[in-house]
Amino acid sequence: EKNTGYLAQFYKKSQTERIQALIQAGFLEKEKQDAFDDQLAISLDIANGMIENQIATYQLPFGIATNFLIDGKDYVIPMAIEEPSVIAAASSAAKLVAQYGGFQTAVTDRLMIGQVILTDVPHLSEAIAILHDNEIEIIQAANQAHPSIVKRGGGADGIRIREIAEDLTVGSPSFLIIHLHVETLEAMGANIINTMMEAIIPMLENLTNGNALMGILSNYATECLATATCRLPVSALAKDNWSGVEVRDRLILAAQVATVDPYRAVTHNKGIMNGIDAIVLASGNDWRAIEAGAHAYASRSGQYRSLSSWRKADNGDLIGELTLPLSIGTVGGSISFHPGAQMAHHLLGNPDAETLEAIIASVGLAQNFSALRALVTEGIQQGHMGLHARSLAISAGASREEIDQVATQLKTVKNMNLATAKEILKNIQK
Ligand code: NDP
């Protein structure tokens, strides 16, 4: 039903042509295009209602990564991001992966976690036994606090009890922590869960004779994971003077060093999050929650490691895999009234939350592939600086007509920096 042929050479089109191409390709309904007239802006009234002490709105470019084939379906990826080259890198990786079957994904059930943290519990093992005996009552109390989510088919459906021992090295006492697993359906669920956790505090205090310190969602969403994989033959990997086998083996080494060296792992994962944050933000989701959860998940072994892995298949193909917690939603927060978020969901075909997770994980893997392939071959700067040239031209004060001219000249000089951009601009304006 999608005609992606219309999106060919998307980057060479004007903004108006891109919007028309999205309509022709079947990703954007014609009736929705008016939303672009005012740049998908939120009104000052809405902005004022969203946060405290609001005085203006802060904009980011909203762009489209093309060529994504995920579980057999074509997608365009809306991205809100200030960094050049992220969209180009995602699109080029996706183009290659699409030629070999696209991304395959898997998601776990979407269970979000809430915590009540108890201190000063006098008889720990007794309290734990009592909590287990009262599991059904605890779940019922939580669900009564937010009946509408139960009506929709979700709600709390299990507890887990964790005992954190006293830790004299930091002077911390023991804690008894009760986790509630909650199906929040299409919502990320922070507010649903916070309401539930606060509601069950008195009951938990009564049952354990402990003191509740707090009740809140955990952003370490280990029960809401998404995985994307892709597979490429070595024949697809050759680049410049590097053979496909060399690129494959160097890329695998690059993933290995990011597994064993935290200094490399952080940058490796930052590259993954370049794409993930951009779609999470565009889709109106809470990117701080996703960031916090992702980096904690990268440390689950006790050491901070790569979120992705790249390995050699028996037949020599390169296989990439990325798993991370993705507590995103398709409703809730500002999603239902932010015109940019609305447009992002529309362009994605209004996926449900599980599908959106699958898409986001695929974007992260695409981003990772592009970064690693560039790093282990020509280096990241060649491609990046080419795109950065336009940003430098803008910073130097180039007008709309002058940007391309300055950028083209900048790419030919050895020292591509702001001073040189200004010099080039001065010469052009002479
Ligand atoms: P909302 O509070 O907006 O709740 C979503 C609501 O959408 C539900 O309560 C439900 O209300 C309604 N809804 C409609 N259709 C569905 C459906 N199919 N599935 C589920 N719900 C549906 O959003 P969240 O609870 O998701 O909270 C997200 C927000 O909380 C984000 O803005 C986040 O930034 C913020 N937040 C994050 C925190 C954190 O990460 N630690 C802490 C606190 C807040 P009903 O059933 O009543 O109609």
Side-chain angles (χ1 to χ4, degrees):
E1 54 191 78
K2 298 288 188 275
N3 197 338
T4 54
Y6 285 107
L7 304 181
Q9 308 264 295
F10 198 70
Y11 62 100
K12 288 190 178 161
K13 298 182 193 295
S14 69
Q15 285 127 320
T16 323
E17 287 168 346
R18 288 178 193 145
I19 290 168
Q20 292 316 307
L22 287 167
I23 294 173
Q24 288 171 312
F27 290 99
L28 172 64
E29 276 171 23
K30 212 170 167 24
E31 305 75 65
K32 302 252 191 226
Q33 67 174 319
D34 293 351
F36 288 103
D37 291 350
D38 57 1
Q39 302 294 315
L40 304 172
I42 44 175
S43 69
L44 285 185
D45 282 346
I46 289 183
N48 192 41
M50 286 172 77
I51 60 163
E52 311 74 40
N53 300 355
Q54 185 264 345
I55 56 169
T57 59
Y58 179 97
Q59 300 188 334
L60 285 175
F62 182 102
I64 295 291
T66 54
N67 310 319
F68 275 80
L69 178 64
I70 302 169
D71 297 324
K73 269 184 78 175
D74 288 310
Y75 290 95
V76 292
I77 309 296
M79 288 188 166
I81 187 155
E82 89 295 348
E83 187 177 342
S85 88
V86 169
I87 290 181
S91 304
S92 87
K95 189 172 185 179
L96 192 65
V97 171
Q99 287 168 35
Y100 301 96
F103 297 94
Q104 313 297 324
T105 72
V107 294
T108 64
D109 287 345
R110 288 173 46 80
L111 287 174
M112 305 302 164
I113 299 168
Q115 299 190 294
V116 169
I117 296 171
L118 298 171
T119 60
D120 309 313
V121 177
H123 305 290
L124 262 184
S125 47
E126 212 173 284
I128 291 171
I130 293 173
L131 288 171
H132 279 302
D133 287 345
N134 286 273
E135 178 163 351
I136 292 171
E137 288 75 10
I138 295 169
I139 290 170
Q140 275 172 352
N143 282 333
Q144 272 158 21
H146 212 298
S148 57
I149 196 71
V150 181
K151 239 192 232 153
R152 290 181 188 281
D157 76 353
I159 66 169
R160 189 179 152 212
I161 297 165
R162 294 170 57 232
E163 192 186 329
I164 306 266
E166 176 182 44
D167 187 340
L168 294 176
T169 59
V170 291
S172 149
S174 67
F175 293 101
L176 186 61
I177 303 183
I178 292 100
H179 281 197
L180 195 66
H181 289 184
V182 185
E183 260 189 81
T184 57
L185 306 177
E186 288 298 303
M188 176 248 198
N191 292 313
I192 298 169
I193 289 186
N194 293 347
T195 305
M196 287 183 170
M197 300 324 286
E198 288 186 8
I200 61 174
I201 281 178
M203 184 178 194
L204 297 181
E205 283 183 325
N206 274 338
L207 290 170
T208 62
N209 287 318
N211 289 319
L213 187 63
M214 66 179 82
I216 186 166
L217 161 90
S218 168
N219 287 115
Y220 193 21
T222 53
E223 309 301 312
C224 181
L225 300 175
T227 299
T229 61
C230 66
R231 183 174 183 134
L232 293 162
V234 284
S235 59
L237 296 171
K239 194 161 200 281
D240 305 330
N241 295 324
W242 304 89
S243 74
V245 170
E246 282 172 321
V247 172
R248 178 198 65 199
D249 292 347
R250 288 170 65 80
L251 207 140
I252 290 171
L253 279 173
Q256 285 166 342
V257 68
T259 304
V260 294
D261 174 21
Y263 279 87
R264 175 58 209 146
V266 171
T267 323
H268 176 101
N269 289 342
K270 189 274 182 185
I272 293 172
M273 301 313 284
N274 271 342
I276 290 185
D277 284 344
I279 176 173
V280 166
L281 185 55
S283 65
N285 273 289
D286 184 337
W287 53 271
R288 285 88 53 208
I290 300 304
E291 276 282 332
H295 296 293
Y297 192 68
S299 308
R300 67 194 180 283
S301 67
Q303 183 185 317
Y304 188 90
R305 299 180 192 279
S306 164
L307 282 166
S308 66
S309 67
W310 292 89
R311 64 178 195 276
K312 190 168 103 175
D314 290 342
N315 73 347
D317 286 359
L318 176 69
I319 296 180
E321 184 170 327
L322 170 67
T323 299
L324 78 167
L326 281 175
S327 57
I328 48 78
T330 61
V331 300
S334 64
I335 296 171
S336 57
F337 58 81
H338 191 294
Q342 289 282 292
M343 181 56 71
H345 287 267
H346 175 70
L347 289 167
L348 288 165
N350 292 314
D352 60 16
E354 283 191 2
T355 310
L356 183 55
E357 281 181 47
I359 295 168
I360 294 171
S362 303
V363 171
L365 190 58
Q367 213 73 57
N368 189 221
F369 174 80
S370 262
L372 293 185
R373 189 171 63 153
L375 280 170
V376 301
T377 57
E378 67 191 14
I380 205 100
Q381 282 307 72
Q382 193 174 316
H384 189 82
M385 289 311 270
L387 295 163
H388 186 53
R390 290 173 59 83
S391 295
L392 283 176
I394 296 168
S395 304
S399 68
R400 209 190 152 109
E401 296 74 37
E402 291 162 342
I403 293 172
D404 277 336
Q405 222 180 328
V406 175
T408 311
Q409 287 193 34
L410 253 184
K411 283 185 215 169
T412 64
V413 302
K414 195 153 169 272
N415 295 318
M416 192 198 283
N417 55 35
L418 186 58
T420 319
K422 283 186 175 159
E423 228 169 86
I424 292 172
L425 182 62
K426 226 158 91 195
N427 280 330
I428 287 173
Q429 288 171 340
K430 260 187 201 157

